[in-house]
């Protein structure tokens, strides 16, 4: 029922929008619709006439099924005339497409000026122009249907009624099916254009089958009329799909377009705290069932849930639960983490690391599944681990970074990452230095910048030779756990990367001193760090922070790091 209500609301809005546009910019809309019809007809004829030319080239004279008017010309003159006419019609198509662009731009500007609104969002002029063009093309397609369905009725009444009945049944059937079948509704919402094209293709084949049957067993009209009906049917189905797609595109931008085109309507923000998407899983009525399904999928065991508690990770569109469950024996504790559909790439990125790399300071990943075919879900063995939220959480984060420094990436993962993404040395470019030279006016900063530019190539070469280490920007409060064995574990890895050792380390003086201890501990377990000095680690950490400041366009902050970068490089070169 909700679907039917939304459908009626959308149709009412389309009618209101049509009334508004036709009232405010009638001439631009009329010109745009007329130009679209002429453009489409010219393009259709420009593609049909070469077929006539091919038929003439394959015949000795003018075929008998050509119109009698054509027989007044000789074969060669007719070929040249039809070829020239095809090129002329294509030029007409291009000319009218240019005219459509002018009408759309002028009409959208007038609509925005008449609504008397301040700037509401970025690219609103482009959105208004595209929406107005969509409306014009959709209206032109509707006019095309109204004009040429009667022509099809005149050429072949039974074929026309088959087309009309098919469109009517499919349109109403799709609405009713979407109202009663949620999966079809989701498919129609996410891929409505593909569904419409598929149904149009089926309808065209159905009509073509009737035409074949008409020639074989019924009394059919001439071949030329059949060809005309076939071409006309193709265009009617294409314009029917165009009406649907253009209407759907306008409804999807309903909130923004209402604010842009209607004088009395404000831009209404979408509700951010509802139960759409992954947040539908937080409702107790469905939550436990979904969590049980996820546990069963990854463990192949049947559980009974004893307790469920939400964990605040402070990660956008990621929902996590601490689940205590039992399969008849002792109780077990799990972390179930569910990603919104727009976070699927992050979920896959995390799974790639946790499946392919051992010895990370993380929970044991029991398996990866999905919930409802929409949301990626990772299930971990939580056991006694709990969030480290006390006063010592910065210390726990430091321990986690030290463990990352000591964890050597395996060769397969390094090869996979290098094929996919660039590391710090590859991202270092001189362009940002030229920009900083134009912006900075502090003599001390400019002097340090000059020294950095002089040694830029040597620094990049040094960084490129350093071993790789894992960098996880989500080592922070709420995502760092502590278990009963005092092990520090990180529960979120969606943004991990591989960078030169030292990258991602905090650059405060206290953290830099802790880096020396972390380096000493890492050398004991990583043989590839034996020849890496603390100065080189500090250089990588400072360059990583320099890049981050430049990305944020904090050029004063980046310039403040240049002196420390130059000193770290000098120390590295002197060792």
């Amino acid at each position: 029922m909700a679907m039917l209500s939304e459908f009626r609301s959308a149709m009412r809005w389309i009618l209101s929008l049509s009334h508004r546009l036709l009232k405010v910019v009638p001439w631009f809309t009329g010109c745009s619709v007329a130009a679209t019809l002429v453009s489409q007809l010219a393009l259709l004829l420009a593609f049909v006439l070469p077929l006539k030319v091919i038929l003439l080239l394959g015949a000795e004279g003018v075929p008998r099924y050509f119109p009698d008017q054509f027989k007044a010309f000789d074969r060669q003159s007719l070929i040249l005339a039809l070829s020239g006419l095809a090129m002329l019609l294509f030029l007409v198509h291009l000319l009218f497409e240019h005219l459509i662009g002018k009408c759309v731009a002028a009409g959208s500007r007038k609509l925005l000026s008449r609504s008397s609104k301040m700037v509401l969002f970025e690219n609103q002029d482009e959105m208004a122009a595209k929406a107005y063009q969509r409306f014009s093309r959709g209206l032109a397609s509707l006019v095309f249907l109204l004009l040429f369905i009667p022509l099809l009725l005149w050429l072949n009444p039974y074929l026309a009624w088959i087309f009309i009945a098919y469109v009517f049944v499919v349109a109403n059937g799709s609405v009713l099916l979407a109202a009663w079948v949620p999966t079809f509704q989701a498919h129609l919402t996410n891929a409505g254009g593909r569904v419409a094209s598929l149904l149009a293709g089926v309808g065209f084949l159905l009509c073509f089958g009737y035409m074949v049957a008409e020639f074989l067993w019924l009394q059919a009209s001439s071949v030329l009329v059949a060809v005309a009906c076939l071409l006309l049917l193709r265009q009617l189905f294409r314009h029917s799909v165009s009406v649907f797609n253009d209407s759907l595109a306008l409804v999807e931008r309903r909130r923004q377009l209402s604010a842009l085109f209607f004088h009395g309507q404000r831009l209404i923000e979408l509700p951010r705290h509802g139960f759409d998407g992954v947040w539908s899983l937080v409702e107790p009525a469905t939550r436990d069932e979904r969590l049980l399904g996820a546990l069963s999928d990854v463990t192949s065991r049947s559980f009974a849930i004893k307790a469920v508690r939400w964990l605040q990770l402070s990660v956008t569109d990621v929902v996590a639960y601490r689940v205590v469950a039992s399969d008849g024996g002792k109780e077990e504790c799990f972390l179930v983490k569910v990603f919104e559909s727009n976070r699927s790439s992050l979920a896959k990125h995390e799974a790639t690391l946790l499946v392919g790399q051992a010895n990370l300071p993380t929970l044991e990943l029991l398996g990866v599944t999905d919930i409802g075919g929409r949301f990626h879900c990772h299930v971990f063995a939580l056991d006694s681990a709990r969030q480290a939220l006390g006063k010592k959480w910065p210390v726990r984060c430091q321990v986690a970074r030290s463990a990352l420094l000591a964890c050597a990436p395996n060769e397969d993962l390094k090869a996979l990452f290098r094929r996919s993404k660039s590391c710090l040395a590859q991202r270092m470019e001189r362009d940002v230095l030229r920009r900083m030279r134009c912006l900075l006016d502090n003599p001390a900063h400019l002097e340090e910048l000059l020294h950095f530019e002089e040694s830029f190539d040597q620094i990049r070469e040094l960084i490129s030779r350093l071993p790789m280490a894992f960098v996880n920007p989500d080592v922070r409060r709420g995502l760092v756990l502590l278990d009963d064995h005092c092990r520090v574990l990180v529960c979120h890895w969606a943004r991990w990367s591989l960078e030169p050792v030292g990258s991602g380390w905090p650059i405060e003086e206290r953290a830099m001193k802790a880096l020396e201890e972390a380096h000493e501990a890492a050398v004991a377990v990583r043989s590839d760090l034996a020849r890496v000095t603390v100065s080189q680690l500090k250089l990588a950490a400072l360059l990583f922070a320099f890049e981050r400041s430049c990305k944020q366009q904090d050029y004063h902050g980046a310039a403040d790091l240049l002196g420390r970068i130059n000193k770290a490089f000098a120390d590295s070169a002197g060792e």
Side-chain angles (χ1 to χ4, degrees):
M1 293 301 107
M3 172 65 185
L4 294 177
S5 177
E6 290 178 11
F7 177 75
R8 286 193 294 267
S9 175
M11 290 298 99
R12 285 194 298 268
W13 180 80
I14 288 288
L15 291 175
S16 298
L17 180 66
S18 303
H19 179 264
R20 174 69 178 175
L21 298 186
L22 292 172
K23 179 181 178 181
V24 176
V25 284
W27 292 109
F28 289 123
T29 303
C31 289
S32 179
V33 168
T36 300
L37 287 172
V38 173
S39 171
Q40 293 300 311
L41 287 173
L43 183 64
L44 175 62
L45 292 174
F47 287 156
V48 169
L49 289 178
L51 297 177
K52 302 285 188 182
V53 173
I54 295 297
L55 293 174
L56 283 170
L57 290 173
E60 295 182 0
V62 178
R64 60 181 179 81
Y65 50 80
F66 270 46
D68 294 336
Q69 293 83 352
F70 284 15
K71 295 176 182 177
F73 303 93
D74 63 273
R75 175 174 170 273
Q76 185 173 355
S77 299
L78 194 56
I79 290 174
L80 293 175
L82 292 177
S83 300
L85 184 58
M87 289 186 285
L88 179 63
L89 286 170
F90 188 74
L91 291 177
V92 170
H93 162 72
L94 295 178
L95 177 65
F96 275 85
E97 284 294 312
H98 180 71
L99 178 61
I100 292 168
K102 293 290 186 181
C103 290
V104 165
S108 62
R109 283 196 300 269
K110 185 174 181 181
L111 282 166
L112 289 177
S113 64
R114 286 288 297 272
S115 64
S116 303
K117 301 285 182 70
M118 61 188 296
V119 177
L120 300 176
F121 45 81
E122 290 292 333
N123 302 320
Q124 70 172 29
D125 292 348
E126 291 83 351
M127 179 181 287
K130 288 180 180 179
Y132 184 54
Q133 185 175 27
R134 281 275 194 183
F135 172 79
S136 300
R137 289 193 180 278
L139 185 59
S141 294
L142 186 60
V143 172
F144 184 94
L145 292 172
L146 295 176
L147 289 178
F148 287 93
I149 287 177
L151 177 60
L152 184 62
L153 279 167
W154 179 68
L155 291 173
N156 193 325
Y158 295 108
L159 187 64
W161 282 114
I162 290 175
F163 167 78
I164 294 170
Y166 179 80
V167 171
F168 179 81
V169 170
V170 164
N172 288 277
S174 297
V175 173
L176 293 175
L177 190 62
W180 295 103
V181 182
T183 53
F184 181 76
Q185 179 185 348
H187 193 63
L188 196 62
T189 302
N190 298 326
R194 290 200 297 270
V195 172
S197 298
L198 175 63
L199 293 174
V202 171
F204 179 76
L205 291 176
L206 178 66
C207 293
F208 175 72
Y210 169 77
M211 292 178 67
V212 171
E214 194 176 44
F215 269 93
L216 291 177
W217 298 295
L218 303 172
Q219 185 177 3
S221 53
S222 68
V223 174
L224 204 58
V225 172
V227 170
C229 288
L230 197 65
L231 293 173
L232 187 55
L233 266 176
R234 193 76 189 111
Q235 291 302 310
L236 289 175
F237 276 112
R238 189 176 73 83
H239 283 282
S240 299
V241 172
S242 176
V243 170
F244 173 80
N245 287 341
D246 292 331
S247 300
L248 186 64
L250 291 173
V251 170
E252 286 176 351
R253 293 283 184 266
R254 178 177 176 178
R255 183 174 59 89
Q256 296 96 326
L257 297 180
S258 293
L260 284 175
F261 293 152
F262 293 94
H263 180 77
Q265 295 196 24
R266 297 180 295 275
L267 180 63
I268 301 173
E269 293 293 332
L270 291 173
R272 300 180 179 180
H273 307 290
F275 291 93
D276 295 331
V278 73
W279 295 102
S280 63
L281 304 179
V282 305
E283 294 187 277
T286 58
R287 179 193 63 196
D288 291 0
E289 181 183 350
R290 301 289 181 86
L291 293 176
L292 272 178
L295 292 178
S296 299
D297 286 345
V298 301
T299 63
S300 300
R301 295 157 61 190
S302 298
F303 285 98
I305 288 183
K306 301 298 183 181
V308 175
R309 184 165 63 88
W310 169 69
L311 296 179
Q312 179 163 316
L313 302 184
S314 299
V315 178
T316 304
D317 289 334
V318 176
V319 178
Y321 280 103
R322 179 183 183 272
V323 181
V324 178
S326 170
D327 63 349
K330 68 174 184 178
E331 293 182 352
E332 299 179 50
C333 193
F334 305 93
L335 171 66
V336 180
K337 192 163 56 169
V338 188
F339 296 78
E340 179 63 271
S341 55
N342 61 358
R343 296 290 185 267
S344 61
S345 60
L346 296 178
K348 293 175 183 177
H349 191 57
E350 178 179 87
T352 299
L353 173 67
L354 299 181
V355 171
Q357 177 67 39
N359 302 322
L360 286 169
T362 184
L363 300 168
E364 179 189 357
L365 178 67
L366 298 178
V368 174
T369 183
D370 63 75
I371 293 181
R374 297 176 58 194
F375 311 116
H376 286 265
C377 177
H378 296 172
V379 180
F380 300 85
L382 188 58
D383 297 329
S384 62
R386 60 197 179 278
Q387 289 176 304
L389 301 176
K391 294 181 179 180
K392 293 185 178 181
W393 71 265
V395 178
R396 314 299 184 199
C397 293
Q398 198 68 47
V399 172
R401 294 190 190 96
S402 299
L404 280 178
L405 185 65
C407 183
N410 67 52
E411 294 301 322
D412 291 340
L413 200 60
K414 284 196 290 187
L416 177 64
F417 189 87
R418 284 169 176 161
R419 287 194 300 268
S420 308
K421 298 187 178 183
S422 59
C423 63
L424 178 61
Q426 295 165 329
R427 296 193 302 269
M428 289 177 62
E429 297 292 344
R430 290 183 178 271
D431 292 347
V432 69
L433 306 183
R434 289 196 290 270
R435 179 182 291 188
M436 291 178 67
R437 197 185 312 121
C438 296
L439 297 174
L440 299 177
D441 53 10
N442 186 317
H445 284 165
L446 291 171
E447 183 179 357
E448 294 293 352
L449 179 61
L450 179 61
H451 291 161
F452 181 61
E453 286 185 286
E454 290 173 351
S455 54
F456 182 84
D457 292 331
Q458 296 95 314
I459 290 175
R460 184 163 57 182
E461 177 64 24
L462 188 156
I463 292 297
S464 67
R465 294 198 306 267
L466 291 178
M468 306 294 282
F470 291 104
V471 174
N472 184 359
D474 291 317
V475 177
R476 56 179 174 80
R477 179 183 173 90
L479 300 178
V480 173
L481 310 178
L482 187 68
D483 67 7
D484 288 346
H485 304 288
C486 295
R487 292 184 304 167
V488 175
L489 308 168
V490 182
C491 67
H492 194 65
W493 298 84
R495 297 191 293 159
W496 69 273
S497 61
L498 282 174
E499 303 288 355
V501 286
S503 300
W505 197 272
I507 58 172
E508 296 81 11
E509 287 301 324
R510 180 181 297 181
M512 284 297 185
K513 291 179 181 178
L515 181 57
E516 299 177 11
E517 300 176 5
H519 171 256
E520 183 179 350
V523 169
V525 294
R526 287 188 64 173
S527 58
D528 58 346
L529 295 184
R531 296 186 179 182
V532 177
T533 65
V534 175
S535 297
Q536 291 172 339
L537 294 182
K538 291 181 178 179
L539 177 61
L542 291 166
L543 286 170
F544 196 83
F546 176 83
E547 181 193 42
R548 183 170 58 244
S549 295
C550 290
K551 283 182 178 179
Q552 297 170 351
Q553 299 184 2
D554 177 17
Y555 297 114
H556 279 297
D560 290 337
L561 296 174
L562 289 173
R564 297 173 65 186
I565 291 173
N566 291 331
K567 182 179 183 305
F569 175 66
D571 293 343
S572 301
E575 291 175 342

